[in-house]
Amino acid sequence: MERYRALIADLEREIPGFRVVRKDRSRLHRAIDVALRIVTLGKMRDYLSSYQTTIGKTVYVTSDWDDWHPDRRYVTLRHEAVHLRQFRKLTLPVMALLYVLLPLPLGLAYFRARFEMEAYAESIRAAAEIWGPSYPTATAYRAHVIDQFIGPSYGWMWPFRRAVERWYDGVLATLAAER
Ligand SMILES: [Zn+2]
């Protein structure tokens, strides 16, 4: 529990008003879920059950969050902490506009991809810290993260496999350099 609890305490100090809320109890997120199913033609079906989402100072989590191993919650919260800082830096309206709409809501979401690359780089670093440096180099994990960018999960935000692979391997190289 230690590391997860410590990160929560750090974030409470760093981001006054920070909180963790169940996503399925939020009317806003139930509405977003319906909208996502429509715009992705049913391809994005697990928004409420499989994705943690940060808006402003709030991290919205799936209903099974408390059952997760604390290490897994820690790694995920490291990713969400990057988004908390992005919202703080850019403000909610600017962040929402850039993340959701620009330049396109689907297929070429440059800013969403930029924000998620920053956050997934933190996921990779945290995963290496908790589960060992070989964890993010494993084919399945690498493929999973790359799929988030090129597949329907985030509306095909950056569907350029080679570019995303280069980004991923660049993050791995920085990890190796730090060791
Ligand atoms: Zn994210």
Side-chain angles (χ1 to χ4, degrees):
M1 187 49 109
E2 207 65 51
R3 244 189 278 240
Y4 174 70
R5 283 247 174 91
L7 180 55
I8 291 271
D10 284 348
L11 288 172
E12 282 169 348
R13 272 190 296 273
E14 185 187 339
I15 317 266
F18 158 70
R19 61 197 183 125
V20 176
V21 172
R22 281 261 305 257
K23 202 178 202 182
D24 61 339
R25 291 182 180 154
S26 154
R27 191 173 296 182
L28 169 66
H29 287 279
R30 288 201 300 269
I32 292 172
D33 177 52
V34 172
L36 286 174
R37 285 166 195 257
I38 293 168
V39 300
T40 66
L41 304 175
K43 293 245 187 310
M44 179 52 172
R45 289 182 215 109
D46 45 5
Y47 175 74
L48 284 183
S49 59
S50 300
Y51 288 85
Q52 321 306 331
T53 304
T54 294
I55 299 180
K57 298 172 179 181
T58 307
V59 176
Y60 293 92
V61 297
T62 51
S63 56
D64 59 352
W65 178 253
D66 290 334
D67 303 327
W68 284 21
H69 190 286
D71 285 348
R72 190 175 165 210
R73 273 181 277 154
Y74 168 80
V75 169
T76 300
L77 194 57
R78 286 269 303 270
H79 173 113
E80 300 306 329
V82 172
H83 291 315
L84 288 168
R85 293 177 193 123
Q86 290 166 343
F87 273 103
R88 185 182 55 189
K89 184 173 158 197
L90 294 170
T91 74
L92 194 147
V94 173
M95 178 76 182
L97 179 71
L98 293 176
Y99 190 97
V100 177
L101 289 177
L102 295 177
L104 290 176
L106 299 174
L108 203 73
Y110 172 81
F111 287 104
R112 187 182 314 151
R114 282 276 305 272
F115 294 136
E116 291 301 343
M117 279 178 183
E118 195 182 356
Y120 275 105
E122 189 72 353
S123 304
I124 293 166
R125 284 191 287 270
E129 177 189 316
I130 296 294
W131 296 306
S134 63
Y135 191 90
T137 64
T139 313
Y141 185 80
R142 182 174 179 273
H144 166 78
V145 171
I146 289 167
D147 274 351
Q148 304 307 304
F149 289 85
I150 66 178
S153 302
Y154 291 78
W156 302 273
M157 61 182 159
W158 205 245
F160 309 107
R161 178 179 288 280
R162 291 289 304 280
V164 178
E165 286 175 346
R166 270 200 303 276
W167 158 76
Y168 192 95
D169 295 332
V171 176
L172 289 184
T174 64
L175 275 185
E178 280 162 18
R179 280 203 310 278

